């Protein structure tokens, strides 16, 4: 297994750009996402080490990011995880 220790994210776009997202995992890609972290990203880069849940990802699992709301000003969302 791997353990997530940090989540880093930033939105690229025009002033006021936002993207709401969740980061999670599951042994099955079609399964319900087990939440690691969720937030609304902005133009200010953010690094999170607290508030993470379900951080021990079992071997062979899928990890994915799901967006739920995006402002028209956002061009991209960059996310990285630390282990």
């Amino acid at each position: 297994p791997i353990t997530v220790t940090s989540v880093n994210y930033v939105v690229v776009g025009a002033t006021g750009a936002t993207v709401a997202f969740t980061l999670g995992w599951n042994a099955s890609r079609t399964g319900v996402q087990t939440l690691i972290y969720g937030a609304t990203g902005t133009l200010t880069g953010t690094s999170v080490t607290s508030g993470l849940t379900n951080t021990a990802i079992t071997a062979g699992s899928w990890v994915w990011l799901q967006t739920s709301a995006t402002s028209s000003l956002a061009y991209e969302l960059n996310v990285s995880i630390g282990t």
Side-chain angles (χ1 to χ4, degrees):
I2 62 170
T3 300
V4 176
T5 58
S6 65
V7 176
N8 307 294
Y9 58 93
V10 65
V11 173
V12 176
T15 301
T18 60
V19 178
F21 70 92
T22 58
L23 176 67
W25 63 275
N26 193 300
S28 168
R29 178 60 186 99
T30 59
V32 175
Q33 189 183 52
T34 302
L35 183 67
I36 298 170
Y37 185 73
T40 298
T42 64
L43 296 175
T44 304
T46 304
S47 180
V48 177
T49 57
S50 62
L52 305 175
T53 59
N54 305 301
T55 57
I57 301 170
T58 57
S61 292
W62 292 86
V63 177
W64 71 93
L65 180 108
Q66 185 171 333
T67 60
S68 57
T70 305
S71 73
S72 61
L73 304 172
Y75 306 138
E76 62 185 65
L77 170 66
N78 296 294
V79 177
S80 64
I81 61 172
T83 59

